[in-house]
Amino acid sequence: MRIAVTGASGFIGRAVLTELARRGISAVASSRSGIGFPLGSAHKSVVLDIHENAADAYERLGRPETVIHLAWSGLPHYHSLHHFETELPVQYRFLKSLIVSGTQNLIVAGTCFEYGLQSGPLSEDLPTQPANAYGFAKDALRRELEFLKTSQPFALTWARLFYLYGEGQASTSLLAQLRQAVARGEKTFNMSGGEQLRDYLAVEEAARLLVSLALARCDAGIVNVCSGRPISVRRLVEGWIRDNGWAIDLNLGYYPYPDYEPMAFWGDRRKLDSILEGQ
Amino acid sequence: MRIAVTGASGFIGRAVLTELARRGISAVASSRSGIGFPLGSAHKSVVLDIHENAADAYERLGRPETVIHLAWSGLPHYHSLHHFETELPVQYRFLKSLIVSGTQNLIVAGTCFEYGLQSGPLSEDLPTQPANAYGFAKDALRRELEFLKTSQPFALTWARLFYLYGEGQASTSLLAQLRQAVARGEKTFNMSGGEQLRDYLAVEEAARLLVSLALARCDAGIVNVCSGRPISVRRLVEGWIRDNGWAIDLNLGYYPYPDYEPMAFWGDRRKLDSILEGQ
C-alpha cells in the first residue's frame, strides 16, 4: 500500500512517521517547507504546499492509495477567519484532487472543537456545534467530503483528535510552556484553576491509533482519537512534574478559564475500540 | 435608507421589488443578467454577477446601507456540489466586501433545508443538520457571517424561508407544474401521496415579511419566514384547483416521497411574530 503523510514536519506528523517506520512501512512525507529532521531510510521527503494548487500533487505524493492528511495552517489562532476564508476551500480542493486522481483511503485529522461547547463524554453521533472558526472549518470540511463521497466513492476516516502532548509540541502548548518555565529556573508556573476535565493522549499513542486506522481501510467516518478518560489539567500537570523530577510549584487560578471551551468534556472511545478490536 | 436587492429578477426578488414600491421605497435592483420586466420608476436596475468578484460591487449597488440578498445560483439541484464548491466561497466573499465597504444591515435568504431531516415544528434554536449540499452551503454561509460579525460588526437577519408559491415560480415547482398540466388540457395530475405536511406561504406575503425585517434593522439572527401552520400537500393542491376553477383530478401516490425531506415539518413562527409586533 502506497501511503503519503501531509503535514509531516508537524508535531503529529513526525510521530506518525516514526510509528510507520517502527512498523516497517515506507511513506512519502509531505510538508510545506521540507522536513527539518533526519527521515532515515524508511521515508521519502517531498516539499508541497497545498495552497499552491499544484496540478501534479497526486504524482508528487507518489500516487498514494492512502493519505494520512494532517496539514492545516493558521494554528493556534482558533478564532481567526483564515480557517474558513482560506484554509477550508484550499483543503477541500486539495483532497478532492487526490480522490479524483486515485487515492482511495483518506484519514483526516479532525478536532474535538467540532463538538463546540458540549459537556461530558462526547460521542461521534452528537450533532456538532463548533464555537470557533477553526472547529467550524474542520467540521465543514468533513461534511463537504461526505457530500463528495456520494458522487466519488472513497474510504473516509475522520480522526477527531482530542488533546495531545509530547516532545516537540508547539511552544504555546501547556507542556512546552511548563518545560520552558522549568528551564528558566522559575519557582512557580502560572496556570488556570486546573479543575477543568479534559482528554489527553501522548502523541506517540495518537500516532499509533492514526496508523492503525489508516491500515484498517475501514471507511469509519468520524472516530474519536482519545484516551476516553477525563483528567483534570491540574493532575495532568502534576504528573508531568513528578515524572520528570522537576521542582516547580503551580500557581493555580492565575489565568481565567478559556471562554470557548466547556469545563468538562472528554471523548467516548467505544467506536475507536471496536474498530481496533476488529483488526 | 439606501436599499439594494440582489437576485432581483428571481421569483422572490420580483415580489420584494413590488412590495418595496408599494411602500414607496426605491431600491437598486441587482441581477446577473438584467431585469427582464418593467421596473417602473421606483427602482434602478443594475447588472451584477457576484461570481465576477467585482471590486466596485458596493458602488454599483448604490452604496447601500441595507441589502436584501436573494441571489444564489445552481437551484433547484439541491444535491449538486456546486453549492459549496463554488457558491459558498463566492457568496461569502461578496457579502464580506459589502460589509467592509459600508453596508450595515444584511438580510439574507436562508432555507428550511438547513434543519435537515428534523420533524415537527422547527424553531430557530434547533441545531442544524442539513442533509443536502444546498442546505449545508446556506448553513455554512450563515455561520461564516456570524464569525465575521465578531470582527466586523453589522446587523444580520437570516431569513430562513420555508416553501413558497406564486406566479412566475420556476417551472419545476409544484404550482407551475400543475398550471402546465391544466394548460395542456390533461385530465389527471401525477403527484406524490400528498400526505406530507409542509409550511407554505404565498410569495407576496413572504416579500412583505422580508421587507418588514429589512426595515426593522434589528440584527435578529435566524428568523423563520413561514406561515407557522402545517398543511398537507394534497390539501394545498386541492385549494389551488378550487381557487382557480380548474378541472383536473389528482393521481395521488404516482411519485415516491423525496428521500431528503421528512414527512412532516413546518416553521415555528413565534420569533417572527415577536419582531413584527415590536415594530
Side-chain angles (χ1 to χ4, degrees), chain A residues 84-85 92 96 136 144, chain B residues 84-85 92 96 143-144:
Chain A
F84 64 81
E85 288 187 347
Y92 175 80
K96 183 178 180 182
F136 164 75
E144 293 184 359
Chain B
F84 63 81
E85 289 187 346
Y92 175 80
K96 183 178 180 183
R143 290 172 188 241
E144 293 183 359

Side-chain angles (χ1 to χ4, degrees), chain B residues 7 70 82 184 243 255:
Chain B
L70 307 171
H82 160 86
R184 282 193 302 265
D243 293 349
Y255 295 116

